[in-house]
């Protein structure tokens, strides 16, 4: 398999909490995975063409004012996939950590793909008829949903101390790893990359220093994550477990979040150079 790191939607510029990294726009970190027999697999979609062309209709005016998205059509997944030489219609599977607007806005650009997520997340999105959090415009095309039950013991297995699920119809290099607290059905997505794993943590945390032993939230991003959490204690417990994962298995699992621009830059450089990732930013 070949894995590409894509930023599918730059948003408000932020500063690091320590000297060194330059200020950078927060990102919407997606993965494009080229598989041998299962076509293209997209992990998250970021913002889509509809969001860029009519943001208030699909994203909502409040979210646009808060996030200050760049809204560049060239940053959408569908355009980046085409620039990589692929036909976007070859995206057969999409795995989303949750259905907040900046994680699933590109779903309409891949109408034939099977969309994998946790069943409680889909139920919560469908129940939000007022659109206070979720934006039904992103699934008005009626995606081919593949909901996975986190309580299904038959498909569950241990993954570095976490309970993980194998997404139906995908090779064993993929896992859904429930990481609760941010939304009702938030999950991480693990992808095996050679002799290590990548764990896309979605919004389980927002800033790389949150996973250090002396955790340090980002003053701006922490406001976003605390305002959007549905289970505070569960979210904090998830972060504690992720810190433990990094301490005990950091040589085998590379952990990253959806919006940290310095994580994205580091992983992109490593991918382009073919080098192994050996340290987190600021470590």
């Amino acid at each position: 398999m070949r894995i590409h790191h894509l930023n599918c939607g730059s948003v408000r510029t932020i500063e690091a909490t320590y000297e060194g990294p330059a200020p950078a726009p927060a990102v919407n970190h997606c993965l494009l995975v080229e598989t041998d027999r299962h076509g293209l697999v997209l992990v998250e979609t970021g913002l889509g063409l509809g969001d860029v062309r009519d943001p208030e209709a699909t994203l909502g005016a409040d979210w646009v004012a808060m996030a200050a998205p760049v809204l560049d059509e060239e940053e959408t997944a569908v355009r980046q996939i085409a620039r990589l030489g692929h036909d976007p219609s070859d995206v057969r599977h999409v795995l989303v950590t949750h259905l907040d607007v900046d994680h699933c806005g590109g779903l309409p650009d891949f109408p034939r793909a099977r969309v994998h997520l946790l069943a409680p997340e889909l139920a919560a999105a469908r129940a939000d008829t007022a659109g206070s959090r979720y934006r039904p415009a992103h699934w008005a095309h009626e995606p081919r949903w593949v909901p996975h039950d986190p309580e299904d013991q038959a498909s569950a297995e241990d993954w570095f101390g976490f309970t993980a699920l194998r997404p139906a119809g995908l090779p064993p290099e993929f896992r859904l790893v429930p990481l609760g607290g941010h939304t009702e059905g938030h999950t991480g997505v693990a992808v095996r990359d050679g002799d290590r794993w990548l764990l896309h943590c979605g919004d389980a945390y927002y800033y790389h220093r949150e996973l250090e032993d002396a955790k340090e939230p980002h003053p701006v991003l922490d406001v976003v994550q605390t305002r959007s959490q549905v289970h505070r204690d569960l979210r904090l417990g998830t972060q504690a477990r992720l810190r433990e994962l990094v301490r005990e298995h950091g040589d085998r699992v590379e952990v990253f979040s959806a919006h940290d621009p310095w994580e994205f830059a580091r992983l992109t450089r490593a991918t382009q150079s073919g080098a192994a990732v050996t340290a987190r930013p600021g470590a």
Side-chain angles (χ1 to χ4, degrees):
M1 299 197 311
R2 185 178 182 188
I3 301 173
H4 304 270
H5 293 267
L6 310 178
N7 170 23
C8 297
S10 299
V11 291
R12 187 177 299 278
T13 295
I14 56 176
E15 297 180 356
T17 59
Y18 56 99
E19 293 185 4
V27 300
N28 282 295
H29 194 157
C30 303
L31 300 177
L32 178 68
V33 185
E34 302 176 17
T35 73
D36 294 332
R37 295 187 296 119
H38 295 78
L40 300 176
V41 178
L42 187 61
V43 178
E44 306 275 70
T45 72
L47 304 182
L49 292 175
D51 300 323
V52 171
R53 294 168 179 172
D54 193 357
E56 292 198 6
T58 60
L59 299 172
D62 290 344
W63 189 89
V64 171
M66 180 275 295
V70 171
L71 300 175
D72 181 356
E73 187 168 312
E74 294 307 306
E75 284 191 340
T76 62
V78 68
R79 293 288 184 256
Q80 294 192 64
I81 290 169
R83 286 202 303 275
L84 287 168
H86 299 293
D87 185 338
S89 66
D90 287 337
V91 174
R92 299 185 194 173
H93 299 268
V94 175
L95 295 87
V96 290
T97 62
H98 61 299
L99 292 174
D100 279 348
V101 296
D102 46 344
H103 296 260
C104 72
L107 286 181
D109 299 332
F110 306 97
R112 296 167 54 187
R114 302 179 73 198
V115 181
H116 301 261
L117 75 173
L118 293 189
E121 184 68 12
L122 182 57
R126 285 172 166 169
D128 185 18
T129 55
S132 57
R133 177 167 199 156
Y134 301 106
R135 304 293 292 183
H138 289 146
W139 48 85
H141 64 289
E142 298 185 356
R144 300 173 62 193
W145 298 114
V146 185
H148 297 268
D149 182 358
E151 303 300 324
D152 182 6
Q153 296 300 314
S155 61
E157 60 183 50
D158 179 79
W159 185 86
F160 297 100
F162 288 77
T163 298
L165 307 171
R166 287 198 181 189
L170 281 167
E173 286 83 5
F174 293 87
R175 299 286 191 281
L176 296 177
V177 184
L179 300 174
H182 180 65
T183 62
E184 293 291 349
H186 187 275
T187 186
V189 179
V191 183
R192 190 170 185 87
D193 181 18
D195 59 357
R196 65 173 184 153
W197 288 86
L198 300 177
L199 178 61
H200 192 311
C201 294
D203 288 352
Y205 73 98
Y206 276 59
Y207 181 52
H208 56 273
R209 283 201 160 185
E210 290 180 274
L211 294 193
E212 297 179 3
D213 288 334
K215 62 179 181 178
E216 180 187 3
H218 189 279
V220 174
L221 297 176
D222 195 49
V223 171
V224 178
Q225 73 171 333
T226 53
R227 286 182 176 177
S228 59
Q229 67 190 2
V230 297
H231 298 292
R232 177 181 180 275
D233 290 345
L234 184 55
R235 177 181 67 82
L236 295 177
T238 291
Q239 290 185 357
R241 295 183 68 203
L242 288 172
R243 280 191 288 275
E244 183 178 359
L245 176 67
V246 171
R247 284 196 305 269
E248 297 186 358
H249 303 290
D251 59 335
R252 299 176 61 193
V253 183
E254 178 64 31
V255 172
F256 59 94
S257 62
H259 303 302
D260 187 313
W262 302 288
E263 284 183 331
F264 178 78
R266 179 175 56 92
L267 288 164
T268 302
R269 287 194 300 269
T271 299
Q272 292 172 345
S273 67
V277 179
T278 57
R280 301 179 60 75

